[in-house]
Amino acid sequence: MKICLVGLGSVSAGYGFLDEHAPYCHVGGILKTEHELSQVVEPSEENFQKAAAKWKFKACKRVSFEEAEADCFAIATPSGTHFLLAQEILLRKKCSLLVIEKPPAESIEDARALVRLAAEKGVEIRVSYTNGWSPELADCVKLVRNGELGKIVQVVGYGGGPVISHACHVTSMLFAFVSERLDQFVISSGLERKGEGLEPFLRSLWAVYSRGEDECRISQIGAKGPYGSNYVEVFGSEGWLRVGARVKATGFARGKEMVFERSKPESPFAALYNPLSEEKSFFANWFRVFELGMAACGGGRVKAFC
C-alpha cells in the first residue's frame, strides 16, 4: 500500500527515531510496516529535508496536494484543518483508507458528514487515538471479549487534559472494552473551562453503558493513578487486568495470573496503518470516542488546543 502523508508537523521531528522498536509518530509507524511512504505533502522544503535526513527516506517524494496520489492518505496537520482536508481527499482523491490525526473535526456535525461521505466513496476512516490502537491493548480486548474476565462490570481510566485532543487517548482505551456489547450511555463530567470556544480540560468523567439488563460503569479520572497515567483497569466477575501506553499488561483471572504474548510494546502507529481486518470494529470506535468527548464539552463547535 502506498501512503501519502499530508503534513510532517513537529511530531515527526521531535518524537521517536528510526532505530527505535516502536517510534511514536506517523512517519516512524509507517516505516515499521510493509507499506511504502511514497509521498509527503509539506509546504516547507526545509521541514521535508530535515525529516528525510532523520528518517532516511528512500523513494519518498515531496509533492503538492494536487499532485498527490496514494492508496492511503494520512492527515497530520494542525487540528483546525483536519475536516476540510479530509473532505477534499474524499471528494477528489481515489483511496481505500483515510487516516486522520485527532481530532477529526471541530463539531460532531462535521464528523458525521465525513462518515457519510466516506461511506458513499467506499473509504475506511481511522482516527489516530494512538493509545487506543496499540497492539497490546488489542490483545487485552480479545481476552475480554472471549470471556476471560467473565461479565465486565467496571472500567476505570487514568489521564486527563484537554478533552478532545489529549484526554481522548484514555477515553479510546475505555471504549475499546465496552463498545461491542453496550450501546447506550448516560454521561456526567467534571470540566475546567479555559476560554470561550476552546476545549475544556477533563477532571473527571463518568458514564453508564447499558443494553437491556447488562450494565457496565466506566469512569475516567483526569489525574495520575497508582501506576502513572494513560492506562486503564478492567474489572470483571472472574478477574481484572491493567494495560496502558506506558504500563505493561498484567492481570489475574479465574485464580491464575494472565499470560500476555508480546515481550515488548509495538508501535500503535504501525497498527494504525496495517489492514487488521479482524479488528475493523476496533478502529471503527473513533466516532463514538469523538462523540463522547464532544458531549462532555457540551456540543457546538470546539477549537482543539493541539
Side-chain angles (χ1 to χ4, degrees), residues 13-201:
Y15 279 64
F17 296 92
L18 188 59
D19 58 356
E20 282 185 331
H21 174 70
Y24 198 78
C25 64
H26 286 276
V27 173
I30 293 169
L31 296 178
K32 291 293 182 179
T33 70
E34 295 180 355
H35 306 309
E36 177 187 349
L37 179 59
S38 59
Q39 297 178 341
V40 169
V41 176
E42 168 56 52
S44 169
E45 173 67 19
E46 181 181 0
N47 285 350
F48 177 77
Q49 292 301 333
K50 286 181 178 178
K54 175 180 178 179
W55 296 102
K56 296 180 171 55
F57 290 162
K58 295 180 180 178
C60 183
K61 296 180 179 179
R62 175 174 170 256
V63 298
S64 67
F65 183 81
E66 289 70 24
E67 296 170 319
E69 295 181 352
D71 305 303
C72 166
F73 280 83
I75 298 172
T77 55
S79 60
T81 66
H82 292 178
F83 169 70
L84 290 177
L85 279 171
Q87 190 177 54
E88 281 295 291
I89 288 168
L90 290 170
L91 287 171
R92 298 172 54 188
K93 305 295 183 179
K94 291 183 179 180
C95 61
S96 59
L97 176 62
L98 173 59
V99 173
I100 310 173
E101 181 56 47
K102 48 75 185 166
E106 293 186 335
S107 72
I108 196 65
E109 290 76 18
D110 286 349
R112 288 195 182 106
L114 289 182
V115 171
R116 290 193 296 268
L117 185 55
E120 292 174 8
K121 300 294 185 178
V123 177
E124 181 186 355
I125 291 179
R126 293 180 179 180
V127 174
S128 180
Y129 296 123
T130 45
N131 293 346
W133 308 151
S134 77
E136 191 171 37
L137 182 74
D139 292 344
C140 292
V141 170
K142 285 181 183 178
L143 290 172
V144 169
R145 291 180 182 174
N146 289 338
E148 291 296 319
L149 301 185
K151 179 183 177 181
I152 303 304
V153 294
Q154 187 173 19
V155 187
V156 182
Y158 298 89
V163 174
I164 57 173
S165 62
H166 192 271
C168 58
H169 288 302
V170 177
T171 309
S172 70
M173 289 191 281
L174 294 171
F175 253 99
F177 289 102
V178 301
S179 63
E180 277 296 287
R181 41 187 176 170
L182 307 172
D183 56 9
Q184 297 179 357
F185 64 86
V186 177
I187 179 177
S188 62
S189 57
L191 304 173
E192 180 181 341
R193 300 287 173 180
K194 292 292 183 177
E196 187 66 30
L198 292 175
E199 59 176 319
F201 277 51

Side-chain angles (χ1 to χ4, degrees), residues 182-243:
L182 307 172
D183 56 9
Q184 297 179 357
F185 64 86
V186 177
I187 179 177
S188 62
S189 57
L191 304 173
E192 180 181 341
R193 300 287 173 180
K194 292 292 183 177
E196 187 66 30
L198 292 175
E199 59 176 319
F201 277 51
L202 178 76
R203 298 305 177 203
S204 56
L205 179 150
W206 303 269
V208 177
Y209 293 79
S210 63
R211 176 176 290 173
E213 297 181 356
D214 194 7
E215 181 176 285
C216 176
R217 295 180 179 274
I218 78 165
S219 58
Q220 183 170 340
I221 300 168
K224 291 182 178 180
Y227 301 91
S229 62
N230 288 323
Y231 74 93
V232 297
E233 294 177 318
V234 185
F235 300 94
S237 58
E238 300 291 337
W240 62 271
L241 66 78
R242 180 185 306 118
V243 64

